[in-house]
Amino acid sequence: MISRNVLIGFLFGGLIYCLAIYIGVNVNCGVDNLIDAYQKYMRGYVFSAYLGISSFLLSLLTFVVINLKEKMFDSADYKNIYIKFNKLNLGDDISKKELYKPLVVITTALVISIICCIVSSILQFTLGFSNNKYILIIPTLMPFIATSFMLISLYQMTQLIYQWLRAEGVIKVV
């Protein structure tokens, strides 16, 4: 699941990047004009945006993972749903690795998003100063990859919450 998400993240980010470059070249009447626009107007904003996003995602990671673990994965209702879905008996042992597997997927997606955002920000003020159009592919591609991993994280979180809300079970009233 994690390797599939990584592959999808890179492919989706690369595809959207190619589309953005195609549109950018056509709008700016050439590659040189697009590079000039990036260097003059966009590089600084991309740096500050992805630096800010990475700090937000870092705090979100801590908040989301701890709250999901405590309030969802450790609840008796979730364990009952897990037992029912995996056709286990009430006395059977549950592997923590399997119980928390969706949480590991979300955590990994968020960590990859944070790393991509930080790398994207750093690349703006290292390779982003280059005048070589082939080297500029790296700092201009990275924000698209970071964004695709953010979308994957969002998708994974919403799917987990929808799965939890759609579960057919009865919650005991205390």
Side-chain angles (χ1 to χ4, degrees), residues 35-53 117 120-129 136 139-140 143:
I35 290 171
D36 190 47
Y38 162 74
Q39 289 178 333
K40 285 183 181 175
Y41 305 113
M42 292 186 283
R43 186 180 53 228
Y45 292 117
V46 172
F47 167 77
S48 59
Y50 281 89
L51 190 61
I53 291 169
C117 287
S120 177
S121 188
I122 291 169
L123 286 174
Q124 301 311 309
F125 280 101
T126 54
L127 297 179
F129 284 115
L136 284 175
T140 56

Side-chain angles (χ1 to χ4, degrees), residues 17 21 123 127 132-143:
Y17 174 74
I21 292 299
L123 286 174
L127 297 179
N132 185 327
K133 59 181 129 186
Y134 298 108
I135 291 177
L136 284 175
I137 290 172
I138 298 168
T140 56
L141 171 62
M142 201 62 199

Side-chain angles (χ1 to χ4, degrees), residues 94-135:
I94 300 173
S95 166
K96 280 187 174 184
K97 181 180 179 183
E98 291 301 315
L99 183 68
Y100 296 133
K101 193 173 189 176
L103 190 60
V104 170
V105 171
I106 289 171
T107 302
T108 305
L110 282 170
V111 167
I112 292 171
S113 297
I114 293 166
I115 291 169
C116 287
C117 287
I118 291 170
V119 168
S120 177
S121 188
I122 291 169
L123 286 174
Q124 301 311 309
F125 280 101
T126 54
L127 297 179
F129 284 115
S130 175
N131 288 325
N132 185 327
K133 59 181 129 186
Y134 298 108
I135 291 177

